[in-house]
Every structure is written in C-alpha cells, then in structure tokens.
Amino acid sequence: MQNFLKQRLEQRQQAHLYRQRLIHEGAQTPVLQMAGRTYLAFCSNDYLGLASHPILINTLQHAATTYAVGAGASHLVNGHARAHHALEEELASFTGRERALLFSTGYMANIGAVTALVERQDAVFSDKLNHASLVDAVQLSRAHSHRYTHNDMEMLARLLTQSTANHKLIVTDGVFSMDGDIANLPDIVTLAKQQQAWVMVDDAHGLGVLGATGRGIIEHYHLSATDVPILMGTLGKAFGVTGAFVAGSTLLIENLIQYARSYIYTTALPAAIAETLRASLRLVQTETWRREKLQILIKHFRQGATQLALPLLVSDTPIQGILLGSAEKALMLSQALLQQGIIVTAIRPPTVPQNTARLRITFSALHEIEHVDRLLGALEHYSL
Ligand SMILES: *Cc1c(COP(=O)(O)O)cnc(C)c1O
C-alpha cells in the first residue's frame, strides 16, 4: 500500500497538480498573517466580509453561553433547538418560500436534496461546470445523468426531449464557482415548463451577493419560487459562518426531512451557530453598502485588468478568473504572487477541465481600492 500511495502522489506532483495548504494565523480577513508576514488575500468566499463582523463574534460568544457548544444529536433526535427553528423560518421568509431546512454543509445539502428526490428510473440534467457536490449527488442518486455543455440551452433542450425518464430534474449552479458567470436561468425555467422538468438551483455564490437585497440569482432575474421550486443556499460564503439550507414548499421540505439521508444521519449544527446565522441574515439585508462596495471593486479590477490585457473570464460577480491554460503556468504565477505577499489560488484540474487552469481571484467588501491596485500592479509584471 505504501508504494501505491507514494506513486500516486508523485504523479500529482509531476503534473503540477499537487495540492498544499497554507496555514494562516488569526482572523479570516483580506489581510492574513502567515509565518510572521502579512499577506493580502484574494481567495476567500467571504464576499460580504461578515466572517469577522464584531456583531457575529459577539452573538456567537453569547449564544454559546445560552445553548452550550455542541448540538448533542441529530435534528430528528433532540438536536433541533429554538435557534435552528427560528433560522429556518427566517430563511424561508428571506427566500420567499413556505419552508427552509438547515443542513450542516452545502455539500450535504446537495447530496441530501438530489438523492431524496430522484432514483433509478429518473434523470438529472446538469451543467458540465456544476459544483463537485452536485456531480457526486447525481451519482449517489443512481438516476440517469445527462450533462450539457456549460450554459448550452440547445443541448439541454435536446437532452430533455430525448429522455423517457419518469421524473426529470435540472440542476445548476446559480453563479459558477470557478468561472464567476451565471446560469441562464430564465431559459432553463422555460425549458423546464415545456418538458415538465423540476428545477433546482445551487446559489452558493449568489445568495447575499446578487440582487438588490441579496436574495441571489432568483432576485437577479426576477424569477419566482414556482419557477425554481428547489433552492439551495450556503451559509459559509457570503453569510460568513457555516452551514447550508434548502428552501421550497412545505411538501418539499417535509419530504427532505423524511428522505434526505445527509440530513437525517448527522449531528445538527451547534445551535449557537444557528443563532449567529440569524444575526448574519439580518446583516446581509441591512448592510447594503457591502454589496455596493463589491460592485465598485469588481468594476475597478475589470477596468484595470482590461487595460493590462489580462486573459479575463467574463464575469460580473466577485469571482474573477484569469485563464492561463496550463496547470504549471497557473501554479508558477500563484507562487510568484505569494512571494510578493499576495495570495491567489491556482485552480487546476480536476477542479476545472483540462487546459483551463486559472487564477481565481475573489473580492470581499473588506477589500479596498488600494488592495485591488496592488494586485493589478503585481500582475502587470507578467506577460500572460
Ligand atoms: C461551496 C459550494 C458548495 C458546498 O458548500 P459547503 O457549505 O462549503 O459545503 C456547494 N455548491 C457550490 C456551488 C459551492 O460553491
């Protein structure tokens, strides 16, 4: 076994695909401390900068006193506290749906929702760039898997028409996590209506960020809960904490409580975390300057990057990709930036398709224009 393990690691290393973790000290903010040095980071998903919000830190401290630390059990045993329940009601109201159900992580919400809804005789239609958790969810469900080219509505229409499956479920990321562009949701909704298919959107990167009040891709496109009956959102990104939820009709949520195994067979999130998330949900709605600030940073970056003729991917979201192609090139650039005190992750296969390695730059409401200028200044030195 040792030989096998060693060989596989060597393969990864030779292909420039080996992954390593950076260790930072202290709070999660755009300015990070590592090994006694200060770095400027452009890679967290803490888009609104709420992870370090004093109100949330304070809420968590107090809630730990009220609720203790661990939930002690799963939601269906005796782990479901008042704070969890109140958060679910508030998330339902925020997303304009009858009910919402909390999961421990987004990965588990996707696994739970998809496997609870479809089985062998059914078919799932997924965008090829969907998040890994959706890919795994479809596999685990045993439903037929049809993957369409990124945002290719003609291909989706063709696959839907050809399918003789019992139930048809279309699943898509709202904002694509490695590209930053968004799903063509209005067309997906139209196709779904024509083909009697169900629609599920994973709005991990849209919730809190897109739409005037942060309600995500549904608000961005002015769609309704009937258009997209299954909405999944995560709480560890723009919400700055951890966890996830699925929102929808009472019937949907009651089904998930009965059948979603990743909901049933796991310990509930700590209630103190749920209480912190309630405060976070209020901040997402009231501190609108955070979304406005993001837009300013994104515009400033795209203008500067265009002037430098950087190979930018098309995106209006805080996820901005610089397409480099080879994993080696992406890794070298990421390491060069690190030496200059800037952290930007090189995203390589299998996270993205072959020959599309890239730098994935993300912005947070806590970044300043000077930070963006520093990043642009550092990128200027390389001919990409
Ligand atoms: C991050 C992410 C997830 C997983 O959410 P976690 O709460 O981190 O497990 C699911 N879907 C998408 C699109 C994501 O970006």
Side-chain angles (χ1 to χ4, degrees):
M1 188 177 102
Q2 288 302 98
N3 263 341
F4 161 76
L5 296 174
K6 189 153 162 272
Q7 269 170 18
R8 279 211 316 185
L9 292 183
E10 280 164 7
Q11 276 169 14
R12 277 247 151 152
Q13 201 120 39
Q14 274 156 19
H16 307 284
L17 297 178
Y18 201 85
R19 278 129 155 97
Q20 272 167 311
R21 297 154 321 158
L22 297 173
I23 304 172
H24 76 85
E25 331 276 343
Q28 173 59 254
T29 66
V31 176
L32 291 180
Q33 309 298 327
M34 291 197 306
R37 196 176 158 193
T38 302
Y39 289 83
L40 190 52
F42 293 94
C43 32
S44 93
N45 302 313
D46 180 25
Y47 302 119
L48 300 181
L50 295 180
S52 56
H53 200 296
I55 292 184
L56 299 191
I57 293 168
N58 199 277
T59 307
L60 180 59
Q61 286 168 340
H62 279 90
T65 309
T66 310
Y67 284 106
V69 179
S74 68
H75 285 278
L76 295 185
V77 179
N78 69 350
H80 190 64
R82 175 57 59 199
H84 297 115
H85 206 74
L87 173 62
E88 288 182 344
E89 287 173 352
E90 287 157 8
L91 285 169
S93 150
F94 178 64
T95 56
R97 282 145 202 270
E98 288 173 358
R99 297 273 298 274
L101 187 70
L102 266 182
F103 285 78
S104 298
T105 69
Y107 196 107
M108 293 167 77
N110 280 339
I111 297 276
V114 173
T115 57
L117 292 174
V118 292
E119 54 190 10
R120 238 181 259 277
Q121 318 83 283
D122 304 325
V124 183
F125 303 82
S126 335
D127 190 294
K128 274 203 178 138
L129 295 190
N130 274 357
H131 190 260
S133 56
L134 284 172
V135 176
D136 295 355
V138 177
Q139 275 210 346
L140 201 58
S141 77
R142 298 191 181 91
H144 289 280
S145 169
H146 301 282
R147 298 178 74 191
Y148 54 92
T149 307
H150 181 48
N151 265 335
D152 183 341
M153 293 297 109
E154 276 172 35
M155 184 169 177
L156 173 59
R158 195 164 4 100
L159 291 171
L160 282 166
T161 316
Q162 286 166 357
S163 167
T164 56
N166 191 8
H167 299 130
K168 301 177 190 178
L169 171 67
I170 307 172
V171 289
T172 182
D173 283 18
V175 175
F176 288 89
S177 50
M178 297 300 137
D179 290 56
D181 60 340
I182 62 180
N184 186 349
L185 206 49
D187 283 1
I188 290 176
V189 167
T190 306
L191 284 175
K193 284 183 182 155
Q194 287 165 0
Q195 303 284 335
Q196 271 116 55
W198 306 335
V199 182
M200 170 172 170
V201 171
D202 168 346
D203 207 16
H205 300 274
L207 213 77
V209 174
L210 294 183
T213 61
R215 285 170 166 78
I217 191 164
I218 309 279
E219 181 179 25
H220 174 83
Y221 281 124
H222 307 288
L223 295 170
S224 73
T226 340
D227 293 328
V228 179
I230 312 155
L231 173 65
M232 178 277 202
T234 61
L235 303 167
K237 291 173 178 163
F239 280 72
V241 188
T242 191
F245 68 92
V246 175
S249 67
T250 301
L251 289 174
L252 172 72
I253 298 307
E254 283 300 321
N255 263 267
L256 295 185
I257 295 174
Q258 311 308 316
Y259 295 110
R261 293 166 64 87
S262 62
Y263 177 76
I264 301 166
Y265 298 108
T266 198
T267 302
L269 282 175
I273 290 291
E275 196 61 35
T276 309
L277 280 164
R278 297 180 67 197
S280 169
L281 178 57
R282 286 192 285 275
L283 293 173
V284 164
Q285 293 172 85
T286 54
E287 299 197 343
T288 51
W289 67 266
R290 292 175 186 272
R291 273 182 291 283
E292 287 153 19
K293 174 90 172 287
L294 271 177
Q295 288 311 314
I296 293 167
L297 295 166
I298 294 165
K299 277 210 188 73
H300 188 77
F301 172 75
R302 287 195 67 88
Q303 252 166 24
T306 307
Q307 265 167 22
L308 296 178
L310 298 178
L312 264 190
L313 293 174
V314 178
S315 157
D316 298 321
T317 69
I319 302 170
Q320 296 288 324
I322 298 181
L323 191 62
L324 297 168
S326 86
E328 187 178 7
K329 197 169 170 187
L331 193 60
M332 273 170 52
L333 187 56
S334 168
Q335 281 167 353
L337 288 172
L338 192 65
Q339 272 163 17
Q340 297 186 56
I342 296 178
I343 310 176
V344 177
T345 330
I347 305 285
R348 294 161 285 165
T351 308
V352 290
Q354 284 298 328
N355 303 316
T356 70
R358 66 199 64 185
L359 290 186
R360 177 181 182 265
I361 293 160
T362 55
F363 295 109
S364 150
L366 295 185
H367 278 119
E368 298 301 342
I369 290 285
E370 302 87 81
H371 293 156
V372 179
D373 286 339
R374 246 188 82 196
L375 173 64
L376 288 166
L379 287 167
E380 196 176 356
H381 296 299
Y382 306 95
S383 50
L384 303 175

